[in-house]
Amino acid sequence: MTKVHVTTTINGDPTEFLCEPDETLLDVLRDRLGMTGSKEGCGTGDCGACSVTLNGRLVCSCLVLGAEAEGQEIGTIEGMAQGENLHVLQKKFIEHAALQCGICTPGLLVAAKSLLEKNPDPTEEETRYWLAGNLCRCTGYDKIIRAVMDAAKEMREAA
Amino acid sequence: MALDSKSDLPQFKVVGTRPARPDGIDKVTGRARFGADMSAPGMLTGLILRSPHAHARIVSIDTSKAEALAGVHAVVTRKDFREITDDDFTADILDNCMAGAKALYDGHAIAAVAASSTKIAREALKLIDVTYEKLDHVTDVDEAIEDGAPVLHEGRSDETVPAGMSPNVLSRYEFGHGDPEEGLKNADHVVERTYKTEATHQGYIEPHACLAQMGPDGQGDLWVCTQGHYMVRNTCAAILGIEQGQLRVTASEIGGGFGGKTTLFLEPVALMLAKKSGRPVKMVMTRSEVLRATGPTASTSIDVKIGMTKDGKITAGFAEMRYQGGAYPGSPVEFGAMSAFAPYDLEHVKTIGWDIVTNRPKAAAYRAPGAPMAAFAVESAIDELARHFGLDPLEVRLKNAAREGTKASYGPTYPAIGLEATLRTAKDHPHWSAPLGENQGRGVACGFWFNFGGDTCVTLNITPDGTVTVSEGNPDIGGSRASMSMMAAEELGIPYEKVRTIVADTGSLGQNEVTDGSRVTFAVGLATIEAARAAKREMCKRAAMIWGIDEEAVEWVDGAAQPAGPNAGKFPPMTLAEIAETASNTGGPIAGHHEANPEGAGVSFATHMCDVEVDPDTGAAKILRYTVFQDAGKAIHPAYVEGQFQGGAAQGIGWALNEEYIYGDDGILQNAGFLDYRVPVASDLPMIDAVILEIPNPGHPYGVRGVGETSIVPPLAAVANAVSAAAGVRMTDLPMSPPKLLAALHAKG
Ligand code: FES
Ligand code: FES
């Protein structure tokens, strides 16, 4: 199989890469581009650790082919903070101790950001259902839900 | 109403606050490097070929075609490893990492390759030709001990096993005192039942991963996600026949472990591939490999007999427990048999445990190994007895609760413990009196865990500008670096922000026990405090030298040395930073260190309370409300203590309701993925209220008890008691998945 040449944008940076036609976007990010912030917990779309956005839409990058990134805009955890300024969600996750081991954290942050872009004032139930695709084995979700809802509140107040 | 004792502990300034953790920013930005996030120049990909059979003799393995494939740099089978004849424990770990004569379970490692790309490595696995002779298999714990059951190993049973039992029974354990048969005679009612629990997996989100290098000179380097890199070093050295000092192991950030990363799976294989190929080799498991070949806890079958008087006094407790630990000795049945009745003050109590092998993956530790299943059985029976007499289940537990001075069922006599405080606080909590609706039920249960100490080393360095670095040897699995920095700051009297704690590699410190047994905040915390005290002594000495007074005439107060009393002389306090600045002229750099194997890890108790609603049409049980009451001794960072309570409860809820290893008749695991092995997701759970009680542990300078494991002990029973109350039928088999619960509801009619 010959490799595919892909031209795309990742976190605003114009990016080119070669990948196998059957290679996932997650593998491209991690193994070819050195962007290891997105994690592989399952490779089958069941854990959300690999969450990224594709033209603003939340996807599991383990279920997207690298070749599909052609001409698209990809957003990953590495693009969430602006320079040294953390996103409100990132600050709230630290403040609320919403991570123990932290392996689920990048995926949860990407997913939560995409929730708040769609729904700036989610209820607890809406937050729980939106994040139901992101497994966390350490926290029991309590502090994660609190962090996301507190971030939503702060973002609403700042808006 | 807080029942925690107000003790003479120091007034804390840093301990008990909730500062940001030192690894926080790395972890929210994606910068933190976990097991699979490391690479090395010239690195190869290592993959493992696994058995498709539950039980088979390995007749031959032909690797020649794989070796001939361009891009393949090494192929490894068991033949590449030396035979270990003097140490069964290590020999079993090796056999589990790479099968010898037989494949003992679906997913057992048979061979491994290292190739220049993942694609080539996958191709190479297909070219390995293995001839198997299939054997009969057994995966159920009760079937494994029947006459004529397929036998995994001959001659592995120890002297505790009576003659004539199946060779699959490897050990027998017994604990207790008094005479339960005698005690049962005084009971007004006896509950006698058999309870079963299915195996569950720790379910850490990060699959096992490592990056190995190994030179022909016997020097090696290993980067690995593990709960104990010193254990990895020592066991890999034993397996490979190299010296411990020649193998340097660095622990990556760890994406969850819960006990499952306290042993080896990939590491010796990766080192062997690296040695044979002369190249760095990276290995990362898939989720399906994680479920098929690592971790799970034991499945169990437990007979319980408990007698009670009509006013709620337990007259006797008896349990016979069968735990299968997969294909090798070492199910956690001993801990199960020790902990089953630990919360109670009983005159007559006895537990018998049987360690049994089956054709399943080798059980690894899982959070309070062995205890949750035992508590499920005992706490279910106690609940049934309380209901039989119409008694308040919390009152019944209070009436029988172990206290200071109680002789525990497993032997020792308890010092000050917190069980009673958790029960009284639970009784006074608004949750206990909240109304319930239709199809809803409430359950409570107690749980216990021993907590461990273990070998521990800490080095604390004072830098020239007066900041402090702490090196410890235990992977930080839930915020322990923050806790160590807090204890160091507290002891030194400086701000938390002035201390940075790192997890050092195996070349930097002496031996450290694995991050297990809820030992880290206790043991590493103790060593950190002692290291800080050693540094303080040295700093007082330096100040004394500068002032020209006696060392004994200097004391450390609020981050500075000062003359102790008016007779010592009149000198303004000299801060840590000032002493550090001149250290070069007063004797050189300043550090403190402490090495110990501390005894005195205080046992920890919890009471959990849970409300569920059962859907009579589907058999689904939904958790409505959940409260954890647990004794932490002293909560160093309360947010992380709450996190341990909440996380343990959530794992226990999963175990109670959904999680299970499902084997087909062919002995093949049917649900080796997160879609079918269903761990709780955010929408399954309510908020989990965490109530921290603080009954100081006399064995720790600040009163700390381990908190990580007790939290998974009560939930199986708390949920089962709630579901049984809601459904009006006693549930004795876990998980109480919708089909099982629906069948029970139908059977009840
Ligand atoms: S790795 Fe993509 S969903 Fe789990
Ligand atoms: S913090 Fe460990 S999986 Fe979420």
Side-chain angles (χ1 to χ4, degrees):
Chain A
M1 272 190 288
T2 22
K3 285 190 173 134
V4 187
H5 177 261
V6 177
T7 306
T8 185
T9 306
I10 303 181
N11 301 325
D13 295 342
T15 308
E16 285 178 69
F17 57 83
L18 291 175
C19 70
E20 304 285 344
D22 61 353
E23 195 172 330
T24 66
L25 176 59
L26 178 61
D27 284 346
V28 169
L29 289 170
R30 291 182 51 85
D31 300 340
R32 295 197 186 272
L33 303 177
M35 299 177 74
T36 52
S38 306
K39 306 299 177 190
E40 177 165 332
C42 67
T44 52
D46 300 312
C47 78
C50 64
S51 298
V52 301
T53 55
L54 184 68
N55 295 336
R57 190 168 143 243
L58 181 64
V59 294
C60 293
S61 61
C62 70
L63 297 183
V64 175
L65 292 174
E68 291 179 88
E70 174 67 33
Q72 315 290 314
E73 305 243 349
I74 310 293
T76 73
I77 186 64
E78 285 91 346
M80 199 156 170
Q82 297 303 314
E84 54 178 5
N85 298 319
L86 296 183
H87 189 277
V88 180
L89 277 162
Q90 293 173 309
K91 283 189 214 149
K92 290 294 176 189
F93 264 57
I94 297 175
E95 187 184 316
H96 285 267
L99 53 140
Q100 280 177 34
C101 77
I103 193 85
C104 65
T105 309
L108 270 155
L109 284 167
V110 169
K113 179 161 174 266
S114 123
L115 165 66
L116 300 188
E117 279 162 8
K118 287 206 162 39
N119 179 358
D121 191 8
T123 62
E124 181 189 335
E125 189 171 15
E126 286 167 343
T127 308
R128 286 188 180 276
Y129 274 87
W130 183 273
L131 298 177
N134 290 82
L135 300 182
C136 172
R137 191 58 161 170
C138 297
T139 64
Y141 305 101
D142 183 301
K143 293 183 189 301
I144 292 173
I145 303 297
R146 286 178 206 275
V148 173
M149 295 191 62
D150 191 23
K153 181 158 165 273
E154 192 165 309
M155 286 164 72
R156 284 196 307 278
E157 285 165 2
Chain B
M1 185 197 65
L3 277 168
D4 25 334
S5 38
K6 300 285 166 253
S7 72
D8 49 1
L9 287 173
Q11 286 303 308
F12 294 113
K13 292 203 175 85
V14 182
V15 164
T17 63
R18 301 175 179 232
R21 60 198 281 168
D23 51 327
I25 291 178
D26 281 354
K27 284 186 174 162
V28 299
T29 54
R31 281 206 299 263
R33 278 191 293 189
F34 291 85
D37 298 340
M38 190 60 106
S39 48
M43 167 178 100
L44 304 173
T45 301
L47 291 181
I48 287 189
L49 181 71
R50 297 185 180 278
S51 168
H53 305 300
H55 196 189
R57 195 171 313 287
I58 300 168
V59 178
S60 65
I61 307 176
D62 180 357
T63 59
S64 56
K65 287 203 210 83
E67 276 157 18
L69 183 68
V72 171
H73 291 258
V75 180
V76 161
T77 66
R78 179 62 174 273
K79 285 206 180 71
D80 293 285
F81 293 88
R82 67 199 194 109
E83 281 308 313
I84 300 170
T85 48
D86 53 348
D87 172 3
D88 284 351
F89 181 77
T90 306
D92 285 344
I93 293 175
L94 168 60
D95 198 68
N96 191 43
C97 290
M98 191 55 67
K102 292 205 291 185
L104 292 166
Y105 57 91
D106 164 43
H108 199 165
I110 304 294
V113 303
S116 56
S117 76
T118 309
K119 203 171 142 187
I120 295 170
R122 280 199 198 115
E123 207 47 48
L125 289 187
K126 289 187 207 145
L127 295 175
I128 299 175
D129 198 1
V130 186
T131 308
Y132 295 99
E133 177 197 332
K134 272 180 79 174
L135 303 168
D136 290 341
H137 64 270
V138 61
T139 55
D140 179 82
V141 64
D142 288 325
E143 287 169 17
I145 57 175
E146 283 169 9
D147 281 348
V151 172
L152 275 83
H153 316 276
E154 293 285 358
R156 290 295 302 265
S157 305
D158 67 22
E159 64 290 347
T160 60
V161 178
M165 289 189 85
S166 161
N168 292 332
V169 180
L170 301 189
S171 294
R172 178 187 187 276
Y173 299 92
E174 184 177 324
F175 298 93
H177 51 251
D179 179 357
E181 283 310 318
E182 204 49 44
L184 287 172
K185 290 183 190 154
N186 302 323
D188 294 315
H189 187 65
V190 174
V191 162
E192 185 172 4
R193 280 197 189 275
T194 298
Y195 301 85
K196 292 195 88 162
T197 66
E198 231 332 315
T200 55
H201 195 277
Q202 296 81 353
Y204 32 80
I205 306 301
E206 180 200 30
H208 298 265
C210 66
L211 172 60
Q213 320 207 33
M214 181 93 207
D217 56 359
Q219 283 190 19
D221 282 279
L222 189 63
W223 161 271
V224 57
C225 66
T226 177
Q227 287 174 248
H229 43 310
Y230 292 81
M231 169 281 297
V232 171
R233 175 192 68 182
N234 300 353
T235 314
C236 283
I239 287 174
L240 298 169
I242 59 174
E243 289 168 347
Q244 293 174 358
Q246 298 300 327
L247 180 58
R248 174 167 170 255
V249 185
T250 307
S252 70
E253 292 296 334
I254 175 169
F258 316 107
K261 292 176 182 168
T262 58
T263 183
L264 305 182
F265 296 105
L266 293 173
E267 298 80 355
V269 179
L271 284 164
M272 187 58 83
L273 286 168
K275 184 174 175 218
K276 270 185 106 169
S277 64
R279 300 263 293 263
V281 174
K282 178 165 162 180
M283 301 187 83
V284 182
M285 279 196 193
T286 63
R287 177 55 50 183
S288 137
E289 287 182 286
V290 170
L291 286 163
R292 284 169 76 203
T294 76
T297 187
S299 64
T300 71
S301 166
I302 304 173
D303 307 328
V304 169
K305 211 194 275 190
I306 301 178
M308 193 179 273
T309 62
K310 58 180 183 305
D311 59 352
K313 183 84 195 145
I314 299 173
T315 63
F318 173 80
E320 179 155 6
M321 345 183 61
R322 295 165 295 276
Y323 284 34
Q324 68 74 25
Y328 301 90
S331 82
V333 71
E334 185 178 6
F335 288 146
M338 290 168 80
S339 65
F341 288 99
Y344 300 108
D345 182 2
L346 304 177
E347 200 181 333
H348 302 290
V349 58
K350 182 163 157 180
T351 53
I352 295 170
W354 299 100
D355 183 19
I356 296 158
V357 286
T358 66
N359 295 109
R360 295 188 183 218
K362 185 181 194 317
Y366 182 16
R367 210 169 193 158
M373 314 76 141
F376 164 62
V378 168
E379 294 290 310
S380 293
I382 291 176
D383 190 70
E384 195 172 346
L385 284 159
R387 280 175 202 280
H388 174 83
F389 291 119
L391 297 171
D392 176 332
L394 286 174
E395 275 301 333
V396 164
R397 286 175 172 85
L398 271 168
K399 196 174 190 100
N400 297 285
R403 298 177 166 81
E404 185 166 358
T406 295
K407 183 173 164 56
S409 54
Y410 65 97
T413 299
Y414 291 128
I417 55 172
L419 174 63
E420 199 179 345
T422 68
L423 285 162
R424 289 201 192 282
T425 309
K427 220 169 138 42
D428 290 336
H429 194 272
H431 184 170
W432 186 233
S433 47
L436 288 167
E438 205 186 339
N439 296 320
Q440 296 180 356
R442 176 167 301 141
V444 293
C446 295
F448 156 90
W449 186 246
F450 310 88
N451 296 329
F452 301 157
D455 286 340
T456 307
C457 302
V458 168
T459 294
L460 181 149
N461 287 293
I462 311 284
T463 63
D465 73 355
T467 46
V468 171
T469 61
V470 175
S471 300
E472 53 140 324
N474 277 88
D476 174 354
I477 207 154
S480 59
R481 273 167 293 193
S483 300
M484 297 317 139
S485 292
M486 290 172 78
M487 284 185 262
E490 185 74 57
E491 196 59 38
L492 294 168
I494 58 174
Y496 167 77
E497 293 71 27
K498 297 278 181 207
V499 184
R500 182 165 178 189
T501 301
I502 63 149
V503 178
D505 63 46
T506 55
S508 305
L509 291 170
Q511 174 66 17
N512 284 280
E513 173 59 65
V514 173
T515 296
D516 70 356
S518 300
R519 69 175 221 91
V520 172
T521 312
F522 165 73
V524 185
L526 181 145
T528 300
I529 291 166
E530 290 300 336
R533 287 178 179 171
K536 285 198 298 192
R537 284 193 295 277
E538 181 62 25
M539 289 188 286
C540 286
K541 191 168 130 194
R542 303 292 176 94
M545 187 191 293
I546 292 167
W547 291 331
I549 63 176
D550 269 0
E551 245 176 275
E552 289 73 41
V554 180
E555 62 181 3
W556 190 264
V557 178
D558 285 341
Q562 65 177 35
N567 297 338
K570 257 191 170 336
F571 302 99
M574 193 177 278
T575 64
L576 184 148
E578 286 163 354
I579 296 169
E581 201 182 349
T582 57
S584 202
N585 304 324
T586 58
I590 299 171
H593 61 98
H594 191 74
E595 294 76 27
N597 179 356
E599 306 285 328
V603 299
S604 163
F605 289 90
T607 298
H608 286 202
M609 192 180 294
C610 162
D611 295 354
V612 303
E613 180 167 319
V614 168
D615 182 337
D617 295 327
T618 63
K622 171 101 184 147
I623 306 288
L624 303 175
R625 185 169 182 178
Y626 203 101
T627 312
V628 175
F629 307 88
Q630 188 177 320
D631 173 19
K634 176 69 203 170
I636 300 298
H637 192 306
Y640 289 115
V641 172
E642 289 162 4
Q644 290 299 316
F645 291 7
Q646 293 164 335
Q651 285 184 317
I653 290 168
W655 198 338
L657 292 180
N658 277 308
E659 295 178 34
E660 63 180 316
Y661 265 52
I662 302 172
Y663 281 93
D665 290 341
D666 53 3
I668 305 300
L669 184 62
Q670 310 268 294
N671 59 336
F674 274 143
L675 188 60
D676 299 313
Y677 181 89
R678 196 176 180 292
V679 308
V681 303
S683 53
D684 292 334
L685 297 174
M687 291 300 183
I688 296 170
D689 290 331
V691 180
I692 302 173
L693 293 156
E694 296 187 325
I695 290 83
N697 167 23
H700 184 277
Y702 295 171
V704 167
R705 296 174 195 271
V707 296
E709 289 170 291
T710 303
S711 55
I712 202 175
V713 181
L716 280 56
V719 175
N721 291 340
V723 169
S724 300
V729 51
R730 178 56 55 180
M731 299 301 293
T732 56
D733 271 12
L734 299 188
M736 298 172 286
S737 52
K740 222 187 265 174
L741 188 49
L742 197 59
L745 285 165
H746 285 158
K748 177 190 77 156

